[in-house]
Amino acid sequence: MSTSAALLPIEADLDAIEQVGLWKDAWTRFRRNRLAIIGGTVVLLLVLDAFLAPVLEAAHLIANPLKQDPVNLYASASWSHPMGLDALGRDLMSRLMFGAQISLTIGVLVQGIIVLIGLSIGLTAGYFGGKIDNLLMRFTDVWFAFPDLLFVLVLVSVFGASELSIFAAIGLVNWVNLARIVRGLTLSLREREFVEAARAVGSSPLRIISRHIFPNILGPVIVTITFGIPQAIFTEAVLSYLGVGIPPPTPSWGTMIHDGYEAINYAPMQAGWPAIAIAITMLAFTFLGDGLRDALDPRMRK
Amino acid sequence: MPTGGRPIGGAFLLFRVLRGRPARLGIFVLRRVLWMVPVVFFVILITFVLAHLAPGSPWDRGAGRQLSAAVIHNRNVTYGLDKPYWQQFLVYIWNVAHLNFGLSFQFQDQSVSGLLLAGWPYTLTLGLTAFCLIVPVGILLGVVAALRQNSKVDYIATAFATLGATIPNFVIAILLIIVLGVGARNATGGNLWLPFSGIGLDSRLILPVIAISALPIAYVARLTRASTLEILRQEYVRTAWAKGLPERLVIGRHVLLNALIPVITALGPIFAFLLTGSVIIETVFSIPGIGSTFVTAVNARDYPMILATTILFSFVIAAVNLVVDILYVVIDPRVRLS
Amino acid sequence: MSTEPLLRVEDLESHFFTSAGVVRAVDKVSFHVDAGETVAIVGESGCGKTVTALSILSLVPDPGKVVGGQVWFRGRDVLGMNRHEIQDFRGSEVAMIFQDPMTSLNPVLKIGFQIKETMTAHHRFDRSQAAARVVPLLNKVRIPEAAWRARDFPHQFSGGMRQRAMIAMGLANEPALLIADEPTTSLDVTVQAQIIELLRDINRDLGTAVILITHNLAIVASLCSRVIVMYGGRVVESGSTTQIFEHPQHPYTWSLLQSIPRLDQPRDQLLTIAGLPPDLRRPPSGCLFHPRCRFRVERCLKEEPPLVEVSPGHWARCWVTMKKALADEPTRG
């Protein structure tokens, strides 16, 4: 028996041990959920599509999404253009495939902003409680009183419709939900024994938050983010549809619906295909999110 | 020794009335109403600041069509834009308190309030019809799914709810138009199809209302189902059966009264959703309501319009949430009024 | 026997069909209750006493079902009743009150309303008569300030008062039989005594028969004249209270009585019955109690004993019986 094992670090990595088991456990549960697997696969395919689209285009397997063909506007499906051409003669299918890039980028980046703001505010409010919590929560209340879509529209109209301003706008409006969830969890975690123990030993708040609280809120945070991605995609699509989104000629599904709507009466699938694409993406992320939630927190019944 | 039954009874009565729920309810309502004031104030402030942060002026017309300096100056005076910001803000607050939202930038002779009033009935028709659909359908769906848990009905209902909740309403709108509008028209040679332009108290209501209600119905159904399932497991339901009550009373009274309590809290967000959803749906279906006027205002940078609509929506949503909160407290006797 | 018993249960069987197997919660249980009698059904949690009572009222929840046996109430076949008949039957001829009054009363309805509702559902009393009966009922169960209290909600009552309110609800239609399922388990000891006293007075004054279901033998003695002991879904012993308490014959009953702490016999430790209740999906062979029984013999592992009348009116399901067991063992001090 070696004696080196006798002295454990004061903040014993019991949490860490617990966490490893938790993840493996969650994976097993996740695997059993068929819808979640389907959702996850579709999401994976989307990510693949987003990365591979430029590659495929360079290899001439799909057409250039920006190349206009002024002669064949609204051409119907053909071998070289499986979904036909749009109002400016651009290949619909390749625009659809490239659109995935925009959607996913928006989804991820917006969540990045949300995580940054929401986590910090939520953790601070939850951990320090009292007046700080009160103040932050009042602040969140005011922020929350804005109807989200309107606020995004206002922001975008103020700062112009560029990719950056759209990310920022959507992120700025939607962090409240995450902040509230994180705050709630932090508040209850704060009372648990291992946090008390860490405090008694004199750990700094930053250390406690990062080592003890953060790993435990990871699950619900991941779930919230996964549900937040489709929300961001949706918001971007709406913005583009309303005409204040990603400026042309970048293909975003929302813009495609906007453009396609003009031709709804005689070429309905111009708007139809991007609509279906959005629908499938949202469903995929939602199933994935549901699956993650069930896997990570089995106590939450459906 | 007289125990004084009467005086003590009287004191007891007074005690109960003063400490009674009605009195505390009144204070609760008052506090919440007062809390709304600073919130609305901040909403106005932030929107105002944002509007004035925008680069450029509302009179910019793009290269080649720029207005003359004199015209610009006149307009600025008319709209009070030549005054310092804080003064503009105070003037604005004063005006808002008198329900004067200024003149629209887009249509220089029309007041914003006028434009809002013009668009209001359309939005109201859409919203009200949707609400009257959402509440009964959602609750019915949820209750039936819960009572027949894990049966085919339950799975179908849940599947519909998932679809409605996940697919964004304007995607649903587009798909509906494609299938039931254009597609049906093409398939039946123009005979049997649903209109998708404008609104009125006729078949033009159908598609927009369906599109805007899908998500709220799904939400209410899921909530009702979960809540009903929870209540069905409660002991007092068993007591109700043991008392010999017929099924309609056990479900209709004992289960539903409890199960619907959480659903009431959903009404606030649903209402908010209907308002913001109207922005999208009205645009898709070319309905001249407040929602679509907002979109045109955003595109045209008509700030008085943008401000007014944002404030109006925020206020209405806050008011509805207030009503819902009060309703909740009134209905559930267990809630403590702090 | 010239008088027909009020309630007669014969070979009642109720099974739970779970995904993990069939649980025989009530396995050929027979007993009877005469008019105005007070009978106790005792046993550990999970022995089937509650399910027995629920079976009488056809209230067994999913995935359970009454699969066999007969229940006769005043000569009528209860299990064969259709939906309307059973609804008439419940709450008016036989009333059942439950263990935890906090969760057994609807939290959003006033107490007075819940009592009134029992009456209006059964057409014996019309609306105004029912309303008029509420306060006297509350008085009868000794709830103070009854007129005020009727307008309160359950969460405004204390635990003991809630239980009284439930009893009032049970008595509203003047049932011939009141089944009380663990009425005192969630209450303080002093309140327990009050409730039992209340039940006793009700039995004496109104002539209502009472079935008291409990795992607490201590309260049985002050209320009931007869005791039925259940184990693993079977009746293992039954007899008068005196017989059971003074000469228990089944080792299980005997162990239960031994484990009641008594002030007049100082002991160093509390006695418990070793082991766990049987898994009713895979019951042990022979006598269900044999794995935990100190006095078992070979035969107990192989054959389940039948109910045998050990002395007049006293039945026990045991090959050994305490008479013999104690004779063979040296007595404990």
Side-chain angles (χ1 to χ4, degrees), chain A residues 33-57:
Chain A
N33 186 340
R34 270 191 319 203
L35 279 180
I37 297 286
I38 295 178
T41 319
V42 174
V43 169
L44 228 59
L45 285 175
L46 269 168
V47 173
L48 234 76
D49 169 48
F51 279 115
L52 287 184
V55 173
L56 288 176
E57 192 221 339

mmCIF file of all heavy atoms in Angstrom, chain A residues 33-57:
data_model
loop_
_atom_site.group_PDB
_atom_site.id
_atom_site.type_symbol
_atom_site.label_atom_id
_atom_site.label_comp_id
_atom_site.label_asym_id
_atom_site.label_seq_id
_atom_site.Cartn_x
_atom_site.Cartn_y
_atom_site.Cartn_z
ATOM 1 N N ASN A 33 -32.610 6.596 -27.376
ATOM 2 C CA ASN A 33 -33.702 7.453 -27.817
ATOM 3 C C ASN A 33 -33.620 7.617 -29.322
ATOM 4 O O ASN A 33 -32.787 8.334 -29.847
ATOM 5 C CB ASN A 33 -33.566 8.810 -27.103
ATOM 6 C CG ASN A 33 -34.735 9.720 -27.397
ATOM 7 O OD1 ASN A 33 -35.452 9.531 -28.370
ATOM 8 N ND2 ASN A 33 -34.922 10.703 -26.542
ATOM 9 N N ARG A 34 -34.525 6.947 -30.033
ATOM 10 C CA ARG A 34 -34.404 6.926 -31.484
ATOM 11 C C ARG A 34 -34.531 8.296 -32.113
ATOM 12 O O ARG A 34 -33.780 8.663 -33.007
ATOM 13 C CB ARG A 34 -35.470 6.003 -32.089
ATOM 14 C CG ARG A 34 -34.987 4.584 -32.237
ATOM 15 C CD ARG A 34 -35.939 3.785 -33.055
ATOM 16 N NE ARG A 34 -37.313 4.127 -32.676
ATOM 17 C CZ ARG A 34 -38.321 3.309 -32.881
ATOM 18 N NH1 ARG A 34 -38.133 2.136 -33.416
ATOM 19 N NH2 ARG A 34 -39.538 3.681 -32.555
ATOM 20 N N LEU A 35 -35.538 9.056 -31.634
ATOM 21 C CA LEU A 35 -35.736 10.390 -32.187
ATOM 22 C C LEU A 35 -34.481 11.240 -32.007
ATOM 23 O O LEU A 35 -34.095 11.990 -32.897
ATOM 24 C CB LEU A 35 -36.919 11.083 -31.506
ATOM 25 C CG LEU A 35 -38.310 10.700 -32.019
ATOM 26 C CD1 LEU A 35 -39.351 11.453 -31.255
ATOM 27 C CD2 LEU A 35 -38.413 10.998 -33.496
ATOM 28 N N ALA A 36 -33.880 11.115 -30.868
ATOM 29 C CA ALA A 36 -32.691 11.928 -30.596
ATOM 30 C C ALA A 36 -31.568 11.535 -31.547
ATOM 31 O O ALA A 36 -30.838 12.399 -32.048
ATOM 32 C CB ALA A 36 -32.254 11.752 -29.147
ATOM 33 N N ILE A 37 -31.435 10.259 -31.808
ATOM 34 C CA ILE A 37 -30.385 9.810 -32.729
ATOM 35 C C ILE A 37 -30.640 10.365 -34.125
ATOM 36 O O ILE A 37 -29.735 10.867 -34.794
ATOM 37 C CB ILE A 37 -30.351 8.263 -32.785
ATOM 38 C CG1 ILE A 37 -30.003 7.700 -31.422
ATOM 39 C CG2 ILE A 37 -29.367 7.792 -33.826
ATOM 40 C CD1 ILE A 37 -28.569 7.878 -31.063
ATOM 41 N N ILE A 38 -31.904 10.285 -34.535
ATOM 42 C CA ILE A 38 -32.252 10.832 -35.848
ATOM 43 C C ILE A 38 -31.906 12.313 -35.889
ATOM 44 O O ILE A 38 -31.256 12.803 -36.818
ATOM 45 C CB ILE A 38 -33.745 10.637 -36.149
ATOM 46 C CG1 ILE A 38 -34.058 9.157 -36.267
ATOM 47 C CG2 ILE A 38 -34.121 11.342 -37.451
ATOM 48 C CD1 ILE A 38 -35.513 8.863 -36.508
ATOM 49 N N GLY A 39 -32.357 13.018 -34.855
ATOM 50 C CA GLY A 39 -32.085 14.457 -34.778
ATOM 51 C C GLY A 39 -30.594 14.732 -34.836
ATOM 52 O O GLY A 39 -30.123 15.573 -35.608
ATOM 53 N N GLY A 40 -29.865 13.989 -34.038
ATOM 54 C CA GLY A 40 -28.430 14.208 -34.002
ATOM 55 C C GLY A 40 -27.785 13.925 -35.349
ATOM 56 O O GLY A 40 -26.892 14.652 -35.791
ATOM 57 N N THR A 41 -28.228 12.870 -36.009
ATOM 58 C CA THR A 41 -27.669 12.541 -37.331
ATOM 59 C C THR A 41 -27.948 13.657 -38.321
ATOM 60 O O THR A 41 -27.044 14.072 -39.079
ATOM 61 C CB THR A 41 -28.290 11.240 -37.867
ATOM 62 O OG1 THR A 41 -28.401 10.308 -36.810
ATOM 63 C CG2 THR A 41 -27.454 10.673 -38.990
ATOM 64 N N VAL A 42 -29.173 14.146 -38.313
ATOM 65 C CA VAL A 42 -29.502 15.222 -39.250
ATOM 66 C C VAL A 42 -28.638 16.445 -38.980
ATOM 67 O O VAL A 42 -28.117 17.080 -39.904
ATOM 68 C CB VAL A 42 -31.002 15.594 -39.159
ATOM 69 C CG1 VAL A 42 -31.293 16.802 -40.008
ATOM 70 C CG2 VAL A 42 -31.855 14.423 -39.600
ATOM 71 N N VAL A 43 -28.482 16.760 -37.706
ATOM 72 C CA VAL A 43 -27.644 17.908 -37.363
ATOM 73 C C VAL A 43 -26.227 17.696 -37.876
ATOM 74 O O VAL A 43 -25.609 18.590 -38.450
ATOM 75 C CB VAL A 43 -27.632 18.138 -35.835
ATOM 76 C CG1 VAL A 43 -26.576 19.146 -35.454
ATOM 77 C CG2 VAL A 43 -28.989 18.605 -35.365
ATOM 78 N N LEU A 44 -25.745 16.483 -37.689
ATOM 79 C CA LEU A 44 -24.400 16.147 -38.164
ATOM 80 C C LEU A 44 -24.313 16.333 -39.671
ATOM 81 O O LEU A 44 -23.355 16.894 -40.207
ATOM 82 C CB LEU A 44 -24.082 14.700 -37.795
ATOM 83 C CG LEU A 44 -22.712 14.486 -37.148
ATOM 84 C CD1 LEU A 44 -22.617 15.320 -35.883
ATOM 85 C CD2 LEU A 44 -22.509 13.006 -36.819
ATOM 86 N N LEU A 45 -25.332 15.862 -40.370
ATOM 87 C CA LEU A 45 -25.363 16.007 -41.827
ATOM 88 C C LEU A 45 -25.341 17.482 -42.213
ATOM 89 O O LEU A 45 -24.667 17.884 -43.160
ATOM 90 C CB LEU A 45 -26.615 15.339 -42.399
ATOM 91 C CG LEU A 45 -26.598 13.824 -42.438
ATOM 92 C CD1 LEU A 45 -27.944 13.286 -42.898
ATOM 93 C CD2 LEU A 45 -25.508 13.332 -43.385
ATOM 94 N N LEU A 46 -26.093 18.272 -41.473
ATOM 95 C CA LEU A 46 -26.123 19.699 -41.752
ATOM 96 C C LEU A 46 -24.735 20.312 -41.597
ATOM 97 O O LEU A 46 -24.282 21.102 -42.429
ATOM 98 C CB LEU A 46 -27.080 20.396 -40.782
ATOM 99 C CG LEU A 46 -28.515 20.518 -41.253
ATOM 100 C CD1 LEU A 46 -29.380 20.939 -40.102
ATOM 101 C CD2 LEU A 46 -28.595 21.520 -42.369
ATOM 102 N N VAL A 47 -24.094 19.937 -40.506
ATOM 103 C CA VAL A 47 -22.750 20.475 -40.264
ATOM 104 C C VAL A 47 -21.821 20.065 -41.406
ATOM 105 O O VAL A 47 -21.058 20.857 -41.939
ATOM 106 C CB VAL A 47 -22.206 19.969 -38.907
ATOM 107 C CG1 VAL A 47 -20.760 20.382 -38.741
ATOM 108 C CG2 VAL A 47 -23.048 20.512 -37.776
ATOM 109 N N LEU A 48 -21.940 18.798 -41.774
ATOM 110 C CA LEU A 48 -21.143 18.287 -42.898
ATOM 111 C C LEU A 48 -21.422 19.106 -44.139
ATOM 112 O O LEU A 48 -20.509 19.541 -44.850
ATOM 113 C CB LEU A 48 -21.508 16.824 -43.158
ATOM 114 C CG LEU A 48 -20.325 15.875 -43.152
ATOM 115 C CD1 LEU A 48 -19.920 15.642 -41.701
ATOM 116 C CD2 LEU A 48 -20.688 14.550 -43.813
ATOM 117 N N ASP A 49 -22.699 19.339 -44.385
ATOM 118 C CA ASP A 49 -23.100 20.086 -45.562
ATOM 119 C C ASP A 49 -22.484 21.480 -45.533
ATOM 120 O O ASP A 49 -21.958 21.969 -46.534
ATOM 121 C CB ASP A 49 -24.631 20.181 -45.605
ATOM 122 C CG ASP A 49 -25.107 21.157 -46.660
ATOM 123 O OD1 ASP A 49 -24.611 21.059 -47.791
ATOM 124 O OD2 ASP A 49 -25.960 21.998 -46.343
ATOM 125 N N ALA A 50 -22.543 22.099 -44.370
ATOM 126 C CA ALA A 50 -22.009 23.446 -44.258
ATOM 127 C C ALA A 50 -20.518 23.478 -44.596
ATOM 128 O O ALA A 50 -20.032 24.375 -45.264
ATOM 129 C CB ALA A 50 -22.245 23.985 -42.842
ATOM 130 N N PHE A 51 -19.802 22.479 -44.151
ATOM 131 C CA PHE A 51 -18.368 22.444 -44.430
ATOM 132 C C PHE A 51 -18.065 22.005 -45.844
ATOM 133 O O PHE A 51 -17.136 22.497 -46.479
ATOM 134 C CB PHE A 51 -17.657 21.490 -43.457
ATOM 135 C CG PHE A 51 -17.378 22.124 -42.134
ATOM 136 C CD1 PHE A 51 -17.998 21.653 -40.984
ATOM 137 C CD2 PHE A 51 -16.528 23.203 -42.025
ATOM 138 C CE1 PHE A 51 -17.747 22.241 -39.760
ATOM 139 C CE2 PHE A 51 -16.270 23.794 -40.814
ATOM 140 C CZ PHE A 51 -16.887 23.315 -39.677
ATOM 141 N N LEU A 52 -18.858 21.057 -46.348
ATOM 142 C CA LEU A 52 -18.527 20.462 -47.641
ATOM 143 C C LEU A 52 -19.035 21.256 -48.835
ATOM 144 O O LEU A 52 -18.541 21.073 -49.941
ATOM 145 C CB LEU A 52 -19.101 19.045 -47.713
ATOM 146 C CG LEU A 52 -18.363 18.017 -46.862
ATOM 147 C CD1 LEU A 52 -18.961 16.640 -47.078
ATOM 148 C CD2 LEU A 52 -16.883 17.994 -47.245
ATOM 149 N N ALA A 53 -20.021 22.110 -48.602
ATOM 150 C CA ALA A 53 -20.608 22.804 -49.754
ATOM 151 C C ALA A 53 -19.549 23.513 -50.603
ATOM 152 O O ALA A 53 -19.528 23.329 -51.819
ATOM 153 C CB ALA A 53 -21.680 23.774 -49.274
ATOM 154 N N PRO A 54 -18.680 24.311 -50.002
ATOM 155 C CA PRO A 54 -17.673 24.960 -50.846
ATOM 156 C C PRO A 54 -16.767 23.953 -51.540
ATOM 157 O O PRO A 54 -16.361 24.155 -52.682
ATOM 158 C CB PRO A 54 -16.883 25.835 -49.867
ATOM 159 C CG PRO A 54 -17.356 25.504 -48.517
ATOM 160 C CD PRO A 54 -18.605 24.732 -48.597
ATOM 161 N N VAL A 55 -16.483 22.857 -50.846
ATOM 162 C CA VAL A 55 -15.638 21.826 -51.461
ATOM 163 C C VAL A 55 -16.332 21.234 -52.686
ATOM 164 O O VAL A 55 -15.743 21.079 -53.754
ATOM 165 C CB VAL A 55 -15.347 20.707 -50.428
ATOM 166 C CG1 VAL A 55 -14.621 19.562 -51.099
ATOM 167 C CG2 VAL A 55 -14.541 21.281 -49.282
ATOM 168 N N LEU A 56 -17.598 20.907 -52.496
ATOM 169 C CA LEU A 56 -18.347 20.322 -53.601
ATOM 170 C C LEU A 56 -18.449 21.287 -54.770
ATOM 171 O O LEU A 56 -18.429 20.890 -55.930
ATOM 172 C CB LEU A 56 -19.752 19.926 -53.130
ATOM 173 C CG LEU A 56 -19.813 18.708 -52.204
ATOM 174 C CD1 LEU A 56 -21.235 18.487 -51.733
ATOM 175 C CD2 LEU A 56 -19.314 17.466 -52.928
ATOM 176 N N GLU A 57 -18.560 22.568 -54.408
ATOM 177 C CA GLU A 57 -18.679 23.528 -55.486
ATOM 178 C C GLU A 57 -17.373 23.616 -56.257
ATOM 179 O O GLU A 57 -17.367 23.680 -57.482
ATOM 180 C CB GLU A 57 -19.042 24.889 -54.903
ATOM 181 C CG GLU A 57 -19.456 25.870 -55.972
ATOM 182 C CD GLU A 57 -18.905 27.256 -55.735
ATOM 183 O OE1 GLU A 57 -18.557 27.533 -54.569
ATOM 184 O OE2 GLU A 57 -18.805 28.027 -56.691
#
